Amino acid sequence: MRLVLLALAPALVLAGCDSGGVPSPAEKLEGKAAQAPLAANAVELRGEGLVAGSEAFYFAAGQTEVEAALARALGPMLRSGENAECGAGPITFTDYGGGLTAHFQQGRLVGWNWHAPQDGDAAASGTVKLAGSVQLGSARSVVEAAPGFATVEDSTLGEEFALGKAIGGFVEGDVVEMLYAGTQCFFR
């Protein structure tokens, strides 16, 4: 009897190690494996992170790795800084050509926003795009027809919208002026 219990102990221990339904990184990528690879100088923004060239980064990825991949795809960073007064806690940001800003907290990627480049910014050496049909500069009709579109009621920041649960943005006039995901430092 004692030998049977000893033989079953490893199986019982493994059965108790349930991940609670949280998929592994490999499982998360399974659905994305069929997508065509990005060019080395392309960045695709996603609700759970971003892809820079051949490297995918989920929120919580290391800042050094994300910044290096973005620099390879878009050219050197244009500026970096910190907003210590953000409601979510201090945020470090890094701007790249093409209007992309990556947000970091404690050395980890926590968000991004994509906006018009600032006057005087060098052009990106690559391209930035959002997964799907909605892009920076898209017409209002395109975003309103996108899956998961919803108006953010009572926004104090302008005409704000959501695309599902992970991506948001702003429309000014008839044009998408900013898209974002993850932790932002908006003062509402």
Side-chain angles (χ1 to χ4, degrees), residues 82-168:
E82 183 175 315
N83 186 339
E85 297 179 16
C86 185
I91 296 242
T92 301
F93 62 88
T94 307
D95 290 340
Y96 293 89
L100 178 61
T101 300
H103 296 165
F104 302 94
Q105 284 184 311
Q106 299 175 347
R108 300 283 177 211
L109 177 68
V110 295
W112 54 258
N113 69 53
W114 184 27
H115 47 84
Q118 295 181 20
D119 287 339
D121 281 356
S125 61
T127 60
V128 179
K129 70 176 189 164
L130 182 68
S133 61
V134 177
Q135 304 298 316
L136 189 65
S138 289
R140 177 187 297 272
S141 59
V142 172
V143 73
E144 288 176 349
F149 171 82
T151 300
V152 176
E153 299 296 329
D154 301 323
S155 174
T156 60
L157 301 174
E159 290 189 67
E160 191 171 0
F161 63 86
L163 293 175
K165 294 181 180 181
I167 296 176

